[in-house]
Amino acid sequence: MNALLLPLFTLTLGLSALLLFWVQPLFARLTLPLLGGAPAVWITAMLFFQAALLAGYLYAHLSVRWLGMKRQSLLHGLVLLSAFAVLPIALPEGWAPPPGAMPVGWQLAVMAAGVGLPFFAVSATAPLLQRWFAHTGHAESANPYFLYSASNIGSIAALLGYPVLFEPLMGLVEQGLVWTLAYLALVGLIALCGLLMWRRFVPHPPAGAS
């Protein structure tokens, strides 16, 4: 089990970062046929994703503080499962932009309805997994910052892979389905991480742990 911890947490962090950075251009592209490619569309999309990312980080911080590590892991499992209510990634049905000027409010609302839950769940994963790992009692738990490297690799893979692989080889519907399957795999990996954290739980991690 001890040998499994490092590769498991590393793989999970990398996959979560890849999904986080992949879904942003994917969903923004889904809105283009309705809104066009004006700079305001992309700026609004960036605003939404940055706000959702901060919300995910805030949830990760406060939920651990208020619930403790073990109860928080159960809550995060529910958050991850709730995202399946809006998957696969696609525009929600029945939404049409109002006529007139650039509908910033409408775009924010459709993004919240279509991708808000999955993005929020994935965005909280990195800080939570770092906290979980710090409480496993692993020899490296006092210095889990190598997990940042896994997250950075996943982010770079998404940023480079989208224009080179994902976009040229798959349509938007296919990307949504593949993203959903990868998200399912991520949920399974996070469940394993949580299980190992529960089994090896150390209430007070070493000094320097996150």
Side-chain angles (χ1 to χ4, degrees), residues 8 12 15 80-81 84 181-195:
L8 176 61
T12 307
L15 179 59
L80 289 164
L81 292 176
F84 284 104
L181 291 175
Y183 179 82
L184 178 61
L186 177 67
V187 172
L189 290 172
I190 293 172
L192 287 176
C193 291
L195 177 61

Side-chain angles (χ1 to χ4, degrees), residues 13-14 23 26 28 42-43 48 59 66 72 80 84 90 92 123 127 159 164 174 188 194 207-208:
L13 260 295
V23 78
L26 166 59
W42 293 102
I43 292 172
F48 171 81
Y59 148 77
W66 292 340
Q72 192 286 324
L80 289 164
F84 284 104
S123 69
L159 293 173
V164 175
E174 292 174 302

Side-chain angles (χ1 to χ4, degrees), residues 81-176:
L81 292 176
S82 70
F84 284 104
V86 298
L87 293 176
I89 295 295
L91 284 174
E93 296 182 3
W95 288 68
M102 168 61 196
V104 173
W106 180 90
Q107 184 182 352
L108 292 173
V110 77
M111 295 185 77
V115 76
L117 272 174
F119 187 86
F120 174 82
V122 176
S123 69
T125 294
L128 286 176
L129 285 180
Q130 289 162 21
R131 294 291 298 273
W132 293 4
F133 183 77
H135 286 265
T136 61
H138 190 276
E140 298 293 330
S141 62
N143 184 31
Y145 297 106
F146 69 91
L147 295 175
Y148 285 114
S149 299
S151 184
N152 288 338
I153 291 172
S155 304
I156 294 172
L159 293 173
L160 296 179
Y162 191 84
V164 175
L165 294 175
F166 305 150
E167 182 75 3
L169 298 180
M170 293 182 286
L172 293 177
V173 173
E174 292 174 302
Q175 287 188 56

Side-chain angles (χ1 to χ4, degrees), residues 34-114:
L34 298 176
L35 298 173
V41 175
W42 293 102
I43 292 172
T44 302
M46 291 176 61
L47 171 65
F48 171 81
F49 286 123
Q50 286 300 310
L53 182 68
L54 291 175
Y57 284 179
L58 182 62
Y59 148 77
H61 172 71
L62 293 180
S63 60
V64 169
R65 182 176 179 180
W66 292 340
L67 299 177
M69 202 65 60
K70 287 189 173 183
R71 285 184 295 174
Q72 192 286 324
S73 66
L74 297 177
L75 172 62
H76 194 54
L78 294 177
V79 171
L80 289 164
L81 292 176
S82 70
F84 284 104
V86 298
L87 293 176
I89 295 295
L91 284 174
E93 296 182 3
W95 288 68
M102 168 61 196
V104 173
W106 180 90
Q107 184 182 352
L108 292 173
V110 77
M111 295 185 77

